[in-house]
Amino acid sequence: MDWGMKNRLSRIIKPKDGRTVMLAVDHGYFMGPTTGLENLGETVKPLLPYADVLMLTRGALRHYIPPETDIPICLRVSGGTSILNETNLLHEGTVVSIEDAIRLNVSAVAFSILVGQPFERDTILGMTEYIDEANRYGIPVLAVTAVGRGLGKDAKYLSLASRMAAELGANIVKTYYCENFEKVVETCPVPIVIAGGKKIPEKEALQMAYNALQAGAIGVDMGRNIFQSENPAGMIKAVRAIVHENATPKEAYQIFKNEK
Ligand code: 5RP
């Protein structure tokens, strides 16, 4: 692994503890003006001091984030379908060239694959082509194991998709938490972060983050459970305490409540 790749990875995964709090606000690329992100810049600004990495699209980066902002960027580079297109949901391809990703000075790129759909091959080859390009410039690729309708969020499916992403060259895998999550982590040779998924009560989301870390995940790449919380700053502080300070879910929930 060359110096550039190692350096960028160290901006994503913090060397002091090998963990990371990624704030995901990329939802607009297929969901449009997602609740909480109508004015993405205003939502994100107070959360930035507690995030290690910001994951978003190039349009959001250009329009909502001032260029002098000091935070590593994980740029979403796959897309192409919307939530209105049910049959092709998450049938994604490349939507940002590697040149533009470099121009935006990103520390990593994110590409979704959808294993188990008739179009899985398109998304997988899309990702591997992007990995080849990103490798050329020392840019890490985070593979997102998207879950389509009818595909279970269970350890059997998620370990299959995560292991595939890693074997195909992804540097980090973003997947969903599930029961027996240790199996997903143990069989995946690259670091795993979890998505938060749909908004759930704060207490449950903190428990999920804790369970994922206990099972071996190196952090979270969480969106809706932070920015749709009644208190987003309290929530990201609480998540951060779990990830970087080994806080228990109870301690973290107290941090969330104190912030109110
Ligand atoms: C979809 C994505 C998201 O757009 C997002 O990053 C997920 O974050 P969360 O589920 O925590 O809101 O990666 O596959």
Side-chain angles (χ1 to χ4, degrees):
M1 203 188 283
D2 72 4
W3 196 93
M5 174 69 85
K6 281 188 190 157
N7 176 262
R8 289 189 185 90
L9 274 172
S10 76
R11 295 192 29 88
I12 302 290
I13 301 170
K14 297 295 147 188
K16 65 172 174 125
D17 59 4
R19 290 185 169 179
T20 185
V21 175
M22 300 177 68
L23 175 62
V25 290
D26 59 322
H27 306 62
Y29 87 98
F30 77 117
M31 289 167 66
T34 311
T35 305
L37 296 181
E38 294 86 348
N39 186 333
L40 191 148
E42 264 178 33
T43 301
V44 158
K45 202 175 169 196
L47 308 181
L48 287 178
Y50 312 104
D52 295 317
V53 179
L54 186 60
M55 176 184 175
L56 76 180
T57 62
R58 76 171 149 190
L61 185 58
R62 287 204 179 112
H63 293 291
Y64 294 111
I65 309 296
E68 56 277 12
T69 306
D70 183 17
I71 188 145
I73 299 298
C74 177
L75 187 73
R76 172 165 283 283
V77 294
S78 71
T81 60
S82 77
I83 37 165
L84 302 180
N85 186 347
E86 289 205 6
T87 43
N88 269 307
L89 186 64
L90 300 167
H91 185 166
E92 299 187 0
T94 295
V95 294
V96 182
S97 68
I98 194 72
E99 288 77 16
D100 216 22
I102 293 165
R103 200 173 295 126
L104 289 164
N105 195 28
V106 304
S107 298
V109 293
F111 202 110
S112 290
I113 55 170
L114 221 179
V115 173
Q117 290 287 23
F119 55 76
E120 62 176 13
R121 186 171 187 275
D122 290 349
T123 65
I124 291 166
L125 295 198
M127 180 189 73
T128 52
E129 278 161 24
Y130 213 96
I131 289 173
D132 283 333
E133 298 213 24
N135 276 348
R136 216 168 285 140
Y137 300 102
I139 298 181
V141 177
L142 176 145
V144 182
T145 65
V147 177
R149 292 202 172 99
L151 295 164
K153 279 189 193 168
D154 55 44
K156 195 173 170 200
Y157 173 73
L158 295 175
S159 56
L160 170 80
S162 300
R163 177 62 177 258
M164 282 178 67
E167 296 232 8
L168 291 164
N171 303 93
I172 305 170
V173 168
K174 169 177 176 173
T175 192
Y176 290 89
Y177 180 71
C178 62
E179 250 178 65
N180 302 319
F181 195 65
E182 314 73 53
K183 185 171 174 260
V184 181
V185 177
E186 280 162 15
T187 55
C188 181
V190 303
I192 290 193
V193 291
I194 60 150
K198 283 190 183 144
K199 172 81 176 71
I200 52 177
E202 281 79 1
K203 212 174 201 170
E204 289 171 31
L206 293 171
Q207 183 72 52
M208 176 174 71
Y210 177 81
N211 292 350
L213 270 285
Q214 290 294 304
I218 58 129
V220 301
D221 186 11
M222 198 177 257
R224 288 163 290 180
N225 276 291
I226 292 173
F227 64 74
Q228 290 178 350
S229 166
E230 58 190 78
N231 180 356
M235 193 56 185
I236 197 168
K237 280 187 189 176
V239 169
R240 191 171 181 86
I242 288 174
V243 173
H244 287 302
E245 288 149 39
N246 292 316
T248 63
K250 207 173 160 190
E251 289 163 345
Y253 189 62
Q254 201 51 51
I255 292 172
F256 167 72
K257 284 211 305 204
N258 290 348
E259 182 68 18
K260 279 183 186 172

